[in-house]
Amino acid sequence: MRLEVYILLSVENNFLSEAAALSWKRCHELGLKPTDPIDDDILTGSRIQPLLRQNEQTIQYTEQVFEHMHAAIKQSGQMALLIDPQGTIIHTVGDADFARRAVAVQLQVGANWAEKRKGTNAIGVAIAEKKPVRVHAEEHYFSSNHFLTCASAPIFNAIGELIGVINISGKQEHYHAYTFSLASMAALSIQNKILLEESKKEHLITLRELDYSSQNHPLPLLSLSRDNRILRANQAALRIVGSGAIGQELTKLDGFSVETVHNEHQRLWQSVSIRKQEASEHRLYAFRDIVGTCPAIIQKKELAQKAAATDFPVLLLGESGVGKELFAQSIHTASNRSSEPFIALNCSAIPDSLVESELFGYARGAFTGANKDGSAGKFEAAHKGTIFLDEIGDMPIRAQAALLRVLQESIITPVGSTKSKRVDIRVIAATNKDLAAEVKAGRFRADLYYRLKGIHITLPALRERSDILTLAVHLLQKHASPCPFLSEAAQRKLIAYSWPGNIRELNGILMQAVFLADGQAIDAEHLAFEEQDSASLAEASKDHPLTLREAEIAAIKQALKASEWNLSKAAGQLKIGRTTLYRKIEEYGITMF
């Protein structure tokens, strides 16, 4: 019987734990045999001393923990051992009678119990899997170790590196259920001792680093007592409060952000104050943010760059989500108006009753509920800059008439005011509608259409672009670092999909995929399209039809996964005999690993 099938049967019948089964397979792949002789290479004398010196601190903490465990370990006829990360035993305590029996299989200081040396055993498996594990009796790979029952738990340092393993071993007839927990608690206790010591050593360094950082920080930083007296101040703060301010009360807190700091007993209560800086405006997009290698998008980008050098109105056309506002902001950023405001207006969201006040503003007391000091409209706010009229195709007819007057005359009159104001603005409009068709249908004014159509740029839909994968990688780099890898299946699925939501939809799907992949490569199953396009799926698979063999393998794997590798249940789901399933597993080389 093949080893894989034997292991499957052993797991199913609880002869082997899953961790032991994985270890058996690794041992088999290493070429080990259960009847192999015991490896007799033991480090002694001058060969073991460097290893003991290297692990001196870990041994010291282990001795402290083992001291409390020694009586119970000895009374139960067991041994407790400390092993280095490579599998070599470096410290032991416990029952002398069992220790003499253990020497026969080299369970002693200087012996190495990594899987490649001693097959499946709790020490080797804990090192390989980096988690607590128990290996009992016949779960050991080598027959000579079947008399043992062992439990091991790894020890990690502050950055998660494996620095050792705790093991408790005894004769299988002395098996105790608490041994596994005891090994885990001992490892955790040693780990905590090491972390505490490391934190003490790092504390002074951290204080010095903080002091250096605060002194060289460009923002003014103050530490205050409970009664607002200045305890410490960096150089930037001293330039504001004066060099003699230490110990003095800080009476004027205007402009400072104060954060109170205290411990759980309220014994320490101080404040850290940071001088606020004025919030900088949100950075607008520039042409460097438009990513793509598709000739269509490159051509549109070049056209937009030429348009930015002029003051002509620009009309951006294209489906929702293709990046019209990205282009609008980039045109403004590259223009000679870049230092002036960029004001975006969603034309579809303006109620008829508020058209004039939204576009032109209103004077004080213009209408009930208005701001008592009046308000500037979008056009006045965009003076000398750019106004972006998004969703212009959805603008109500009444609003279109008001907009046309401003574009023709460059003059606005706030609601409730008799004074007109001249405005200097550059207009960029965008829509996902066919404005020519809207004009014919009477839903859009022809004169406004021609006024806006100075330079018109139609952006390609994502499904029309040849650089979907390039764009996907660019977006993934924004969502995760390092950038997740896209499997071939995921790439085919991305290319085959019709993308009704364009780049906006792609960005959302990739964000979800990064979350679902959880740091691993992104596969097709992580790409959760809201509406699965059957035509797209057919396109994705037409060049890769499944053979009969591939279909059988896929069905068997799916049944085994669904039944958690219970062969009887899997055979029942597939409506084949158990013997047939065994034969198929061997024939196709299907394994649970």
Side-chain angles (χ1 to χ4, degrees):
M1 183 184 292
R2 279 183 55 188
L3 178 66
E4 287 87 350
V5 176
Y6 169 75
I7 295 174
L8 285 174
L9 289 171
S10 299
V11 172
E12 186 174 317
N13 292 282
N14 295 322
F15 296 148
L16 285 178
S17 66
E18 184 177 344
L22 289 168
S23 176
W24 272 59
K25 184 173 185 293
R26 289 194 293 267
C27 293
H28 178 69
E29 292 173 346
L30 287 169
L32 302 179
K33 295 182 177 61
T35 56
D36 282 349
I38 297 172
D39 184 292
D40 59 358
D41 185 18
I42 298 177
L43 300 179
T44 58
S46 59
R47 295 175 64 198
I48 190 69
Q49 289 305 315
L51 206 58
L52 299 179
R53 286 194 296 271
Q54 182 180 341
N55 294 276
E56 184 176 1
Q57 186 186 57
T58 307
I59 293 173
Q60 176 186 343
Y61 294 131
T62 302
E63 288 175 339
Q64 296 173 13
V65 173
F66 280 2
E67 183 178 353
H68 299 288
M69 298 168 47
H70 190 196
I73 293 292
K74 183 177 180 181
Q75 187 176 358
S76 62
Q78 299 180 103
M79 286 178 63
L81 308 93
L82 171 66
I83 301 92
D84 83 341
Q86 285 70 47
T88 300
I89 299 172
I90 53 178
H91 184 68
T92 66
V93 298
D95 181 64
D97 292 337
F98 174 71
R100 284 190 290 272
R101 174 72 177 91
V103 168
V105 290
Q106 298 185 338
L107 198 60
Q108 64 189 92
V109 171
N112 188 285
W113 276 70
E115 281 183 343
K116 64 182 179 180
R117 303 283 288 275
K118 293 292 191 295
T120 301
N121 68 88
I123 296 170
V125 176
I127 292 173
E129 300 285 344
K130 292 183 173 55
K131 63 182 182 182
V133 65
R134 177 177 20 234
V135 176
H136 180 65
E138 284 77 13
E139 286 186 319
H140 289 87
Y141 192 78
F142 286 160
S143 303
S144 56
N145 294 331
H146 285 181
F147 77 96
L148 293 170
T149 182
C150 310
S152 291
I155 307 169
F156 299 100
N157 65 11
I159 59 174
E161 295 174 334
L162 181 71
I163 58 173
V165 170
I166 291 297
N167 174 267
I168 299 177
S169 295
K171 295 179 182 179
Q172 65 160 294
E173 56 266 30
H174 293 161
Y175 167 82
H176 293 282
Y178 71 81
T179 304
F180 178 80
S181 298
L182 188 61
S184 298
M185 288 189 292
L188 184 60
S189 178
I190 294 167
Q191 184 171 300
N192 288 340
K193 287 178 177 290
I194 292 172
L195 293 178
L196 182 60
E197 185 61 29
E198 287 182 358
S199 68
K200 289 178 181 178
K201 292 179 180 178
E202 291 174 357
H203 183 64
L204 181 59
I205 296 175
T206 302
L207 289 176
R208 289 175 178 171
E209 286 178 346
L210 287 173
D211 183 61
Y212 177 82
S213 298
S214 67
Q215 290 301 322
N216 292 276
H217 200 287
L219 289 178
L221 303 175
L222 298 172
S223 292
L224 307 175
S225 65
R226 293 183 64 170
D227 56 357
N228 279 344
R229 294 190 180 278
I230 300 174
L231 300 176
R232 285 175 294 278
N234 67 355
Q235 292 300 317
L238 289 175
R239 285 193 290 269
I240 296 173
V241 299
S243 57
I246 304 298
Q248 302 297 315
E249 183 180 358
L250 182 65
T251 55
K252 298 182 69 174
L253 292 174
D254 292 344
F256 279 90
S257 173
V258 180
E259 179 73 25
T260 301
V261 182
H262 55 74
N263 69 2
E264 65 275 17
H265 303 297
Q266 304 291 322
R267 291 176 182 168
L268 298 176
W269 191 350
Q270 297 178 355
S271 297
V272 177
S273 300
I274 302 174
R275 184 67 175 265
K276 297 177 183 177
Q277 287 185 323
E278 293 296 324
S280 60
E281 294 183 5
H282 174 68
R283 183 185 76 84
L284 296 175
Y285 289 117
F287 282 114
R288 64 176 176 273
D289 298 310
I290 301 175
V291 175
T293 57
C294 173
I297 200 66
I298 291 175
Q299 189 265 338
K300 303 302 180 184
K301 183 176 177 179
E302 291 174 350
L303 186 60
Q305 287 172 323
K306 290 180 181 178
T310 74
D311 219 19
F312 298 144
V314 177
L315 179 60
L316 298 171
L317 305 171
E319 297 177 6
S320 293
V322 294
K324 295 189 287 294
E325 182 158 4
L326 170 61
F327 267 77
Q329 291 188 17
S330 299
I331 291 171
H332 170 79
T333 303
S335 73
N336 58 8
R337 297 176 181 265
S338 59
S339 60
E340 302 297 338
F342 175 90
I343 303 298
L345 173 65
N346 187 336
C347 299
S348 65
I350 306 175
D352 278 357
S353 60
L354 297 178
V355 169
E356 283 83 0
S357 60
E358 185 72 17
L359 296 180
F360 316 134
Y362 55 86
R364 179 177 181 179
F367 51 86
T368 302
N371 188 309
K372 65 178 183 179
D373 296 322
S375 176
K378 298 295 185 183
F379 276 85
E380 185 176 354
H383 182 53
K384 294 189 178 297
T386 301
I387 189 164
F388 175 49
L389 304 174
D390 198 11
E391 309 289 356
I392 188 70
D394 296 309
M395 187 178 232
I397 287 290
R398 181 166 175 267
Q400 293 177 31
L403 174 60
L404 179 62
R405 287 197 304 273
V406 178
L407 297 182
Q408 288 175 333
E409 302 169 8
S410 297
I411 293 175
I412 62 169
T413 303
V415 175
S417 174
T418 58
K419 295 182 180 179
S420 297
K421 300 178 181 179
R422 181 166 293 279
V423 291
D424 173 21
I425 52 173
R426 199 282 177 71
V427 178
I428 301 176
T431 182
N432 59 5
K433 291 191 173 182
D434 182 347
L435 287 188
E438 293 294 299
V439 170
K440 289 181 179 179
R443 291 186 293 267
F444 200 85
R445 295 180 61 113
D447 43 7
L448 178 59
Y449 171 53
Y450 294 117
R451 174 70 65 172
L452 296 171
K453 194 188 172 185
I455 300 173
H456 57 281
I457 303 172
T458 302
L459 303 183
L462 183 57
R463 62 182 172 277
E464 299 168 353
R465 293 175 57 168
S466 60
D467 59 352
I468 291 177
L469 296 182
T470 301
L471 187 56
V473 170
H474 170 73
L475 294 173
L476 284 172
Q477 289 172 340
K478 292 185 174 182
H479 296 317
S481 180
C483 179
F485 173 76
L486 283 167
S487 71
E488 289 188 12
Q491 292 179 30
R492 289 198 300 270
K493 192 171 181 180
L494 288 172
I495 293 172
Y497 187 53
S498 60
W499 298 110
N502 292 292
I503 299 172
R504 189 179 294 119
E505 183 182 12
L506 173 63
N507 188 50
I509 284 174
L510 292 176
M511 189 183 302
Q512 173 80 348
V514 168
F515 170 74
L516 294 175
D518 196 21
Q520 303 301 312
I522 293 176
D523 206 351
E525 64 186 21
H526 300 131
L527 299 172
F529 300 145
E530 285 194 12
E531 292 186 13
Q532 191 61 55
D533 187 334
S534 58
S536 297
L537 287 178
E539 181 68 22
S541 61
K542 71 178 184 179
D543 296 328
H544 304 276
L546 292 177
T547 64
L548 179 60
R549 174 189 175 89
E550 289 171 337
E552 280 199 353
I553 291 173
I556 291 172
K557 284 184 175 180
Q558 184 177 358
L560 289 171
K561 182 178 180 181
S563 64
E564 297 182 343
W565 286 83
N566 184 305
L567 301 185
S568 297
K569 289 183 180 179
Q573 291 178 18
L574 294 167
K575 300 190 185 306
I576 60 176
R578 186 182 173 103
T579 305
T580 303
L581 180 57
Y582 286 149
R583 179 171 55 78
K584 291 288 186 182
I585 288 174
E586 289 205 71
E587 178 184 347
Y588 294 139
I590 298 172
T591 72
M592 67 181 292
F593 308 101

